[in-house]
């Protein structure tokens, strides 16, 4: 089977407000993420991680149904989510949707948001569904759909993002350089149903936090 798009479901608290997930060639769950995937109506192809949080009975049922189980030791350098992204790459995926939740522990929520920004995953075009919010890891260009006055935030991660240019946003950027920790891209607003963002270097985390208005 040719694998192009993967859905990667993180562990931790159950995500809320997830709708309209894209079709996927493979669904990979990070530990307890398998339970979340099942709740979302997804067929789990692979479960990966140290398996310390998934219900043991669920794990047995998945294995009996043909799901591949990739166990790892508890003492490891990679998080379960990173192991799941590595599994997606190994399967040949070129893009991935990470599904997770921002509730629960703050460090875990940040870990999910920043997971795709590492250069290790530069071969994957990554978007994220974090509860009702959407986000994208952008290294070259992005086109997003929405409605006028939808919030969109642009955040540089891992270093400066250069040549940042936007259309369809109220506060337009033209060949701008954005630095991590500087909030110049925070709480922008869409002016139409489509917005585009391009950059020539670095990485942006672009967040569309749902229908809530500023």
């Amino acid at each position: 089977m040719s694998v192009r798009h993967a859905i990667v479901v993180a562990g931790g608290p159950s995500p809320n407000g997830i709708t309209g997930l894209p079709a996927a060639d493979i669904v990979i769950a990070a530990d307890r993420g398998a339970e979340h995937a099942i709740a979302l109506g997804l067929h789990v192809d692979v479960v990966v991680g140290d398996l310390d949080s998934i219900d043991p009975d669920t794990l047995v049922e998945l294995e009996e149904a043909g799901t591949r189980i990739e166990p790892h030791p508890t003492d490891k350098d990679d998080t379960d989510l990173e192991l799941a992204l590595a599994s997606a790459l190994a399967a040949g995926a070129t893009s991935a949707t990470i599904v997770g939740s921002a509730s629960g522990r703050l460090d875990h929520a940040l870990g999910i948001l920043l997971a795709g920004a590492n250069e290790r995953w530069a071969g994957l075009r990554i978007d994220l569904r974090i509860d009702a919010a959407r986000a994208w890891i952008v290294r070259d260009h992005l086109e997003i759909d929405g409605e006028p006055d939808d919030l969109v935030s642009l955040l540089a991660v891992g270093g400066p993002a250069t040549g940042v240019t936007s259309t369809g946003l109220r506060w337009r950027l033209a060949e701008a350089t954005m630095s991590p920790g500087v909030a110049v891209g925070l709480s922008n607003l869409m002016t139409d149903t489509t917005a585009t963002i391009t950059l020539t270097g670095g990485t942006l985390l672009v967040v569309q936090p749902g229908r809530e208005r500023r």
Side-chain angles (χ1 to χ4, degrees), residues 61-148:
E61 291 172 3
L62 286 168
E63 190 167 20
E64 290 176 346
T67 298
R68 187 168 78 249
I69 311 299
E70 298 181 358
H72 291 262
T74 301
D75 293 331
K76 59 188 185 306
D77 293 329
D78 291 336
T79 66
D80 289 342
L81 180 56
E82 288 172 324
L83 291 171
L85 288 170
S87 184
L89 270 180
T94 56
S95 61
T97 297
I98 298 174
V99 178
S101 176
S103 62
R105 283 176 50 178
L106 176 61
D107 53 344
H108 284 177
L110 289 172
I112 293 172
L113 280 169
L114 297 175
N118 193 295
E119 284 301 307
R120 181 179 177 185
W121 318 121
L124 289 171
R125 183 170 288 275
I126 293 175
D127 71 291
L128 303 97
R129 301 292 186 90
I130 307 298
D131 297 318
R134 299 193 65 182
W136 297 263
I137 303 297
V138 187
R139 294 184 170 89
D140 44 26
H141 69 277
L142 173 70
E143 181 176 300
I144 58 177
D145 298 322
E147 300 293 337

Side-chain angles (χ1 to χ4, degrees), residues 27-206:
V27 175
I28 303 171
D31 206 331
R32 189 188 173 199
E35 297 175 25
H36 307 330
I38 293 169
L40 291 168
L42 299 172
H43 172 78
V44 182
D45 298 292
V46 183
V47 178
V48 61
D50 55 22
L51 310 181
D52 65 342
S53 59
I54 186 173
D55 178 75
D57 291 337
T58 300
L59 188 63
V60 170
E61 291 172 3
L62 286 168
E63 190 167 20
E64 290 176 346
T67 298
R68 187 168 78 249
I69 311 299
E70 298 181 358
H72 291 262
T74 301
D75 293 331
K76 59 188 185 306
D77 293 329
D78 291 336
T79 66
D80 289 342
L81 180 56
E82 288 172 324
L83 291 171
L85 288 170
S87 184
L89 270 180
T94 56
S95 61
T97 297
I98 298 174
V99 178
S101 176
S103 62
R105 283 176 50 178
L106 176 61
D107 53 344
H108 284 177
L110 289 172
I112 293 172
L113 280 169
L114 297 175
N118 193 295
E119 284 301 307
R120 181 179 177 185
W121 318 121
L124 289 171
R125 183 170 288 275
I126 293 175
D127 71 291
L128 303 97
R129 301 292 186 90
I130 307 298
D131 297 318
R134 299 193 65 182
W136 297 263
I137 303 297
V138 187
R139 294 184 170 89
D140 44 26
H141 69 277
L142 173 70
E143 181 176 300
I144 58 177
D145 298 322
E147 300 293 337
D149 290 334
D150 277 357
L151 285 165
V152 177
S153 290
L154 285 65
L155 304 168
V157 290
T162 58
V164 181
T165 300
S166 66
T167 65
L169 297 178
R170 179 172 296 179
W171 295 283
R172 295 183 62 180
L173 297 166
E175 297 294 325
T177 296
M178 302 180 66
S179 299
V182 178
V184 66
L186 197 65
S187 296
N188 212 323
L189 294 169
M190 293 185 66
T191 58
D192 206 336
T193 57
T194 302
T196 63
I197 299 156
T198 61
L199 63 156
T200 58
T203 304
L204 285 176
L205 174 64
V206 178

